[in-house]
Amino acid sequence: MASSLTKDSASITGSEKTFFGHPRGLATLFMTEMWERFSYYGMRALLVYYLVSGGADAATGAQGGGLAMRATTATAIYSVYVSMVYLMAMPGGWFGDRVWGARKTVTIAGFVIMSGHLALALPGQAPFFAGLILVAVGSGLLKANISTMVGHLYEGPDDPRRDGGFTVFYMGINLGAFAAPLVIGTVGKEHNWHLGFALAALGMALGLAQFLLGTKNLSPKSSLVPNPLSAEERKGVLTKVAAVVAAIAVFYGVVVALGAYTLNWALVPLTLAGLIIPIAVLVRIKRDKDLSTTEQSKMNGYIWLFVAAAVFWMIYDQGGSTLSLFADAKTTDNVGGIHFSATWYQSLNPLFVMALAPVFAWLWLWLARKNQEPNTIVKFAMGLVIIGASFFVFIVPMNMAGDGKVSPMWLVSIYMIQTIGELCLSPVGLSVTTKMAPQKYASQMMGVWFLAVTAGDCFTGLLSLAGVSLDGLGIIAMEASMAAVAGLAIYMYRKNVQALMGGVH
């Protein structure tokens, strides 16, 4: 994973200064992403706890002050929120490509995210849901464009520093994700919810300030609009958007006027959209007559991997909902007499990623030299079986807890197992998406990959909205079995899938 440090970045940034041998602009993007992820994961660590928190606990005196919702409703809101963040990555990329350019889009996204966290810092349901919408929209706009800007710093795909630059950049993501639950989570959950959300806003403000101060170090490409809308296209888009907004406003106006509005009127349509849109996008690409026979075959193979990824994220993203609620209610909050907030468990995944990612990179290279590296399909199968195993392990402490509490090491083990599964599936998923993308959809396929997260989260959201408690032994066993069976199915049919993928390994 290490990059070549021999090239001077002066040819790209116009400056002799470097950041660990990379263009100076990488430092700007590294810090921006680190603080944005700090704000996002800090808020996410608080989200479910804030939703279920009611009055002060009589036994411990712990703060209440949350929205006092049922666990099923809280899980549904969490699932829909996370799914919308990833769903918005596609229109976010579109805005960067066709309307504002990557740099302007990231700047606007930063202000939108910061405004969202400030809204969350206000008491009441109305500012809370407004804040969630703003953070989801802003995160989608930023997520799709800041990685593109990292790519702009290098002289094309063949620049020997490129892979190393993305490795450094992703380290910023994990540093922010690691620190956030420890700082924002502790302050918010143990002291004051709204102060915690305000700290998330401060984190985004620091990231935005870093970005604005460092824009001079970024590539000029980041300011360009690669494929700007024509005047006719712009008019058409505005007309369609206005029509959709008007239709939604009229529909919900009628629902409210009839006195029939409940939270499900918002959550159910969003959840269904999160399931239907990924299917519609894949069908649209698959039915495109401009695709060659080879590209059609690759898309058939990719659909297998997409469904597998959706099953994976269905379980994985419950680390912030089902596992979080178990951490708070059924897991002891101290080790060796040292007490800690249940939000700290959310720091385990980024910690394990930083510790294990270099090990996996070395392992794949070592196996490749021996001509024994598993191909993409086998890695996907491994990821699914491993994520399923994490929930089979979860059944053990669930049975043990009863009316008491279990050791924190159970959750530490579960998060570690899930991280191992993530390192088998997620990096190769990103890579295979770029390799299997039809030429016509090369710039859109990364957004398609994120839709697998949307589909997986919306499935759990739909279960919660149907009143299914995701912390029940039966549903945990069912999800674990789904993942394991899906992994075994992909492994058994690996030759068929590989034939569809052509020369992609």
Side-chain angles (χ1 to χ4, degrees), residues 28-349:
T28 297
L29 299 176
F30 174 95
M31 295 298 293
T32 302
E33 182 73 353
M34 184 189 77
W35 284 114
E36 188 273 330
R37 292 290 89 182
F38 176 83
S39 70
Y40 173 77
Y41 281 101
M43 183 278 284
R44 204 176 86 156
L46 293 177
L47 183 55
V48 168
Y49 294 134
Y50 176 66
L51 289 169
V52 300
S53 175
D57 189 292
T60 65
Q63 69 146 346
L67 298 183
M69 294 182 177
R70 293 181 302 169
T72 51
T73 305
T75 301
I77 291 172
Y78 166 87
S79 299
V80 170
Y81 165 70
V82 174
S83 71
M84 290 302 108
V85 168
Y86 286 93
L87 181 62
M88 290 304 298
M90 280 198 79
W94 183 86
F95 268 92
D97 284 343
R98 309 217 61 191
V99 183
W100 292 326
R103 187 182 302 189
K104 186 176 181 180
T105 304
V106 168
T107 303
I108 292 171
F111 280 107
V112 172
I113 294 169
M114 184 174 65
S115 300
H117 289 304
L118 288 173
L120 290 168
L122 301 174
Q125 282 200 25
F128 172 79
F129 285 110
L132 278 190
I133 293 169
L134 288 170
V135 175
V137 171
S139 296
L141 288 170
L142 186 141
K143 190 175 188 67
N145 289 283
I146 196 165
S147 295
T148 300
M149 295 173 71
V150 174
H152 287 162
L153 297 173
Y154 300 95
E155 295 179 330
D158 296 328
D159 191 320
R161 301 166 302 162
R162 187 182 179 91
D163 286 352
F166 274 97
T167 300
V168 173
F169 176 70
Y170 288 128
M171 190 62 71
I173 293 175
N174 286 292
L175 283 172
F178 170 72
L182 304 178
V183 180
I184 295 174
T186 302
V187 170
K189 186 174 186 302
E190 307 304 328
H191 300 286
N192 185 284
W193 298 114
H194 302 292
L195 180 57
F197 292 131
L199 281 177
L202 176 61
M204 189 64 251
L206 291 171
L208 184 58
Q210 169 71 30
F211 182 75
L212 294 174
L213 290 172
T215 50
K216 61 183 182 293
N217 297 315
L218 301 176
S219 168
K221 292 180 185 177
S222 299
S223 297
L224 301 177
V225 182
N227 184 23
L229 290 170
S230 66
E232 186 177 342
E233 287 176 320
R234 187 181 294 270
K235 182 180 178 181
V237 169
L238 290 174
T239 300
K240 290 177 182 177
V241 170
V244 170
V245 170
I248 292 172
V250 169
F251 176 78
Y252 280 102
V254 171
V255 172
V256 171
L258 293 173
Y261 181 81
T262 64
L263 187 57
N264 279 358
W265 278 99
L267 293 178
V268 172
L270 285 173
T271 306
L272 292 174
L275 291 170
I276 294 169
I277 290 173
I279 296 171
V281 169
L282 288 171
V283 169
R284 180 175 65 87
I285 295 174
K286 186 71 183 63
R287 295 180 66 182
D288 192 329
K289 295 180 180 179
D290 291 340
L291 267 58
S292 67
T293 303
T294 300
E295 288 176 328
Q296 287 280 4
S297 177
K298 286 182 178 180
M299 282 305 301
N300 287 336
Y302 185 76
I303 289 170
W304 277 76
L305 302 182
F306 183 93
V307 173
V311 173
F312 178 90
W313 298 116
M314 172 191 74
I315 293 178
Y316 181 89
D317 274 345
Q318 289 184 60
S321 54
T322 307
L323 290 179
S324 287
L325 292 172
F326 184 85
D328 194 41
K330 297 293 184 179
T331 308
T332 55
D333 62 353
N334 70 88
V335 174
I338 301 174
H339 290 264
F340 56 89
S341 172
T343 61
W344 286 24
Y345 288 104
Q346 298 300 301
S347 290
L348 289 172
N349 171 252

Side-chain angles (χ1 to χ4, degrees), residues 223-486:
S223 297
L224 301 177
V225 182
N227 184 23
L229 290 170
S230 66
E232 186 177 342
E233 287 176 320
R234 187 181 294 270
K235 182 180 178 181
V237 169
L238 290 174
T239 300
K240 290 177 182 177
V241 170
V244 170
V245 170
I248 292 172
V250 169
F251 176 78
Y252 280 102
V254 171
V255 172
V256 171
L258 293 173
Y261 181 81
T262 64
L263 187 57
N264 279 358
W265 278 99
L267 293 178
V268 172
L270 285 173
T271 306
L272 292 174
L275 291 170
I276 294 169
I277 290 173
I279 296 171
V281 169
L282 288 171
V283 169
R284 180 175 65 87
I285 295 174
K286 186 71 183 63
R287 295 180 66 182
D288 192 329
K289 295 180 180 179
D290 291 340
L291 267 58
S292 67
T293 303
T294 300
E295 288 176 328
Q296 287 280 4
S297 177
K298 286 182 178 180
M299 282 305 301
N300 287 336
Y302 185 76
I303 289 170
W304 277 76
L305 302 182
F306 183 93
V307 173
V311 173
F312 178 90
W313 298 116
M314 172 191 74
I315 293 178
Y316 181 89
D317 274 345
Q318 289 184 60
S321 54
T322 307
L323 290 179
S324 287
L325 292 172
F326 184 85
D328 194 41
K330 297 293 184 179
T331 308
T332 55
D333 62 353
N334 70 88
V335 174
I338 301 174
H339 290 264
F340 56 89
S341 172
T343 61
W344 286 24
Y345 288 104
Q346 298 300 301
S347 290
L348 289 172
N349 171 252
L351 177 65
F352 287 137
V353 168
M354 290 187 286
L356 296 177
V359 176
F360 271 75
W362 170 85
L363 176 63
W364 300 141
L365 285 173
W366 181 73
L367 289 172
R369 291 192 197 102
K370 299 167 68 71
N371 202 29
Q372 294 178 353
E373 182 186 7
N375 63 23
T376 296
I377 301 168
V378 174
K379 288 178 181 177
F380 259 74
M382 290 168 60
L384 281 167
V385 170
I386 291 170
I387 200 74
S390 75
F391 261 29
F392 280 125
V393 172
F394 186 28
I395 291 172
V396 178
M398 289 179 72
N399 274 320
M400 291 172 59
D403 295 328
K405 295 190 175 185
V406 299
S407 165
M409 295 311 297
W410 281 107
L411 283 181
V412 171
S413 300
I414 292 166
Y415 280 111
M416 184 177 71
I417 294 168
Q418 292 191 346
T419 302
I420 292 170
E422 176 192 5
L423 291 171
C424 288
L425 182 141
S426 185
V428 296
L430 292 168
S431 177
V432 79
T433 297
T434 61
K435 292 176 181 177
M436 295 177 68
Q439 185 63 36
K440 184 177 179 179
Y441 297 97
S443 61
Q444 299 180 40
M445 283 300 287
M446 198 56 71
V448 174
W449 168 252
F450 289 135
L451 289 180
V453 185
T454 298
D457 282 314
C458 281
F459 182 77
T460 56
L462 200 60
L463 288 175
S464 296
L465 289 172
V468 177
S469 178
L470 294 181
D471 61 355
L473 286 173
I475 192 68
I476 294 296
M478 185 200 78
E479 291 177 307
S481 300
M482 281 178 62
V485 169

